[in-house]
Amino acid sequence: MKNNKTIYSFEYGLADWIALKEDKDSTFKMTCCGSRAILKTSKLGTQFFAHKVKPKTNDCSTGGETPEHIHIKYLVSKKLFECGWSVEVEKRGVSSQGEVWIADIYAEKDKAKIAIEVQWSRQSFVETKRRQQVYKDSGVRCAWLLRSGSVKDRDAIVGDFLHRTKSVPVFSIYRNQKESDSAYKVYNVCKAASEERLNPDPLEQTELELNDFVEKLVSSKIQFYRTYSDTSKLTLDIVRMQCWSCKRVTNTVVKARFKNTLYGIENSYSSISQDVDECDSRTIELINNSFAQRYNFAPLRSRYSKTVDSSYIANSCTYCDALMGRHFMKSWGSYYSSQTVETDEITVPRKGRVLMEFGRVGYYSRAIDYNEGKWVLIDSL
C-alpha cells in the first residue's frame, strides 16, 4: 500500500522502481498485515515488496514458494499488465459451488476473466482437473504452466497430461539454470512443419519465450487444434427434463456428437462429442436449423447466467423460456440420463480444422483427418 493505495511491483519499469525506492515522502505498508514495507529486487530480477521487520507469524509468508515460482508469477503479471489487463496476484474467489480458490495470477479485460497457475511442485492430473473445474464454476478461464523436469525432457506434459484438451490448457515451462541470463521457455505448443510427411499437415513442437507466450495466449494466437474429416455425421443427445421454473417437462439438448470418416475409408470412423455450451456458432446454427423444430426444443442461444456472471450457449424451457443452465444440467443430468434420446443423424459440410482459442472457438478451411488435439501457433499456419 502506497499512501493507502494498492500498488503492484510489476506496474513499474526499472527506472520507475528505482525512483520509487528513493521516494522519501511516501509510506509503504504490506497489504497482508499493515506493517512497514521495503522495496527489493531479487537475484533473478524480481521486483517485490517485503516486510521491513520479519513477521512474528507465518501468516504473511509466501507459502513456501521458490524464488523461481515467484519470479515467473512476476514476469507473467508484468506482461499481462503491459498487454492492458487488470492484474491481481493471489486473488481469492469462491465458485458457484462454494469452493474457494486462490489464483497465482488473475486478470480481467473487458468481460474476460482469466487465471494463470504456475505449478512448480508435483500435482496429479486429477487434482489439476478438479481445480480447473472450480475455476470453470467461477466463470474464469485458467491456463497452467507446469515445471519441466529436465533438459532431456523439457516437455513435462507426460502421463495423463498427454491427453491435451481445450478444457485443461496445460503447458510446460523450463529455464536452463546453467546459463544465468537464459529466459524461461514454454513448451507443449506446436507449429506447422515445413517438410512433407505421411501426415498431410505435420506439426512440430516449438518453444516460446515466456513473455512471447503470454502475449500470444491472450491475443488469440495460441489455439487448441482438432481436425475433422471431409464429411461428418451429426447427432444430438436430448433428454426430457422438468423446468426448474415452470415445472413443465421440456426437451433439452445435452451433447452434440460427430462421427467422422477416417482417411476416406468407408465404414472407418472416429467419434467425438461436445457439450452444447462448448459448441461454436456454426454448429449451433446447424443444430437449430436441422433439429429444433423436429425434436421440439427451444433454439440454443447465448444466455446470461447470474450464477457465473457471464453468457454462454444454453438451452431454454420451451414453455417459459427459463435458462436451463450448465449448473442445472450438471445437478440433474444423471437423474434424467436414462431418458436420453439420440436423434437421427444428418450429414454436415466439411468442417476442416477447428482451432479453439483460450476461451473462444473458430473455424478454418483446411482439413485433415482427426487426430489428437494440440495447442498450435496460428500465425505460423
Side-chain angles (χ1 to χ4, degrees):
M1 301 286 291
K2 177 189 176 185
N3 299 333
N4 297 318
K5 179 183 177 181
T6 301
I7 60 173
Y8 287 95
S9 60
F10 56 75
E11 298 174 351
Y12 296 87
L14 180 58
D16 292 333
W17 183 249
I18 294 173
L20 196 65
K21 282 186 176 182
E22 298 173 349
D23 184 355
K24 306 300 182 182
D25 298 326
S26 299
T27 58
F28 301 92
K29 296 181 179 180
M30 301 296 289
T31 56
C32 53
C33 60
S35 62
R36 287 285 301 277
I38 55 177
L39 287 68
K40 290 187 174 183
T41 303
S42 75
K43 293 180 180 180
L44 293 173
T46 309
Q47 298 170 179
F48 66 101
F49 299 100
H51 298 80
K52 186 173 183 179
V53 179
K54 186 177 180 180
K56 296 180 180 179
T57 68
N58 292 327
D59 296 339
C60 302
S61 70
T62 58
E65 293 179 338
T66 65
E68 291 83 5
H69 189 168
I70 297 171
H71 190 211
I72 293 171
K73 290 196 328 185
Y74 168 76
L75 294 174
V76 172
S77 300
K78 187 175 182 65
K79 175 51 66 173
L80 287 172
F81 178 77
E82 292 171 352
C83 291
W85 290 72
S86 175
V87 186
E88 295 182 59
V89 294
E90 301 301 317
K91 166 78 172 178
R92 288 178 175 267
V94 181
S95 75
S96 60
Q97 305 300 311
E99 296 185 83
V100 177
W101 50 266
I102 304 175
D104 279 341
I105 303 118
Y106 174 85
E108 291 187 4
K109 189 175 186 180
D110 300 326
K111 295 182 179 181
K113 301 176 182 179
I114 65 171
I116 296 181
E117 288 285 353
V118 182
Q119 194 60 38
W120 211 244
S121 58
R122 288 184 178 274
Q123 178 172 277
S124 69
F125 182 66
V126 172
E127 176 63 10
T128 302
K129 285 186 67 178
R130 184 197 69 79
R131 292 178 63 186
Q132 185 77 358
Q133 185 61 48
V134 173
Y135 281 118
K136 184 177 180 181
D137 291 341
S138 305
V140 178
R141 187 84 170 104
C142 180
W144 296 81
L145 291 173
L146 307 183
R147 181 185 185 182
S148 185
S150 66
V151 177
K152 183 178 180 181
D153 183 19
R154 291 180 178 176
D155 186 355
I157 313 304
V158 296
D160 287 329
F161 283 107
L162 280 173
H163 300 286
R164 302 161 181 175
T165 64
K166 176 199 172 192
S167 59
V168 187
V170 289
F171 306 90
S172 61
I173 186 167
Y174 172 82
R175 177 175 176 267
N176 189 343
Q177 296 181 349
K178 295 180 179 180
E179 299 177 6
S180 58
D181 58 346
S182 67
Y184 290 99
K185 302 291 181 64
V186 177
Y187 300 85
N188 198 26
V189 182
C190 294
K191 64 180 180 180
S194 57
E195 66 269 21
E196 193 70 24
R197 296 178 184 167
L198 292 178
N199 188 333
D201 191 13
L203 297 174
E204 286 185 344
Q205 181 172 269
T206 187
E207 62 180 43
L208 294 171
E209 289 196 4
L210 180 59
N211 279 344
D212 191 26
F213 167 80
V214 173
E215 184 174 359
K216 283 180 165 57
L217 184 69
V218 296
S219 59
S220 303
K221 294 297 181 66
I222 297 176
Q223 299 180 349
F224 187 75
Y225 164 100
R226 288 198 309 191
T227 55
Y228 292 81
S229 55
D230 290 352
T231 60
S232 296
K233 301 291 185 179
L234 171 63
T235 61
L236 305 179
D237 286 355
I238 296 177
V239 297
R240 291 179 58 76
M241 302 179 70
Q242 186 181 61
C243 173
W244 61 268
S245 179
C246 70
K247 309 304 180 186
R248 301 180 73 175
V249 176
T250 181
N251 285 349
T252 309
V253 183
V254 179
K255 286 186 179 294
R257 299 186 181 275
F258 291 95
K259 186 166 67 173
N260 308 293
T261 305
L262 281 175
Y263 307 107
I265 302 173
E266 189 176 358
N267 298 322
S268 179
Y269 298 98
S270 69
S271 298
I272 57 173
S273 65
Q274 280 184 304
D275 293 337
V276 293
D277 58 358
E278 293 185 347
C279 290
D280 61 282
S281 58
R282 181 177 171 183
T283 300
I284 295 301
E285 184 179 359
L286 280 169
I287 290 172
N288 290 336
N289 291 341
S290 304
F291 294 103
Q293 188 172 358
R294 290 170 57 195
Y295 290 92
N296 192 29
F297 60 84
L300 301 170
R301 68 184 194 276
S302 180
R303 297 290 303 269
Y304 174 77
S305 168
K306 291 182 180 179
T307 306
V308 298
D309 190 25
S310 65
S311 298
Y312 57 87
I313 296 296
N315 287 271
S316 305
C317 175
T318 54
Y319 299 100
C320 69
D321 199 41
L323 168 66
M324 305 286 282
R326 58 165 69 116
H327 297 288
F328 176 77
M329 301 285 287
K330 182 179 178 181
S331 300
W332 290 96
S334 59
Y335 176 79
Y336 291 101
S337 60
S338 61
Q339 303 178 41
T340 301
V341 174
E342 186 173 317
T343 66
D344 295 333
E345 63 181 24
I346 63 168
T347 300
V348 297
R350 180 171 70 180
K351 289 181 175 294
R353 174 179 296 122
V354 179
L355 293 173
M356 295 179 240
E357 302 172 6
F358 188 54
R360 292 186 295 171
V361 179
Y363 277 100
Y364 291 76
S365 58
R366 295 164 63 190
I368 62 172
D369 298 307
Y370 174 79
N371 61 4
E372 287 188 1
K374 298 178 184 294
W375 291 92
V376 296
L377 291 171
I378 64 167
D379 55 356
S380 67
L381 295 179

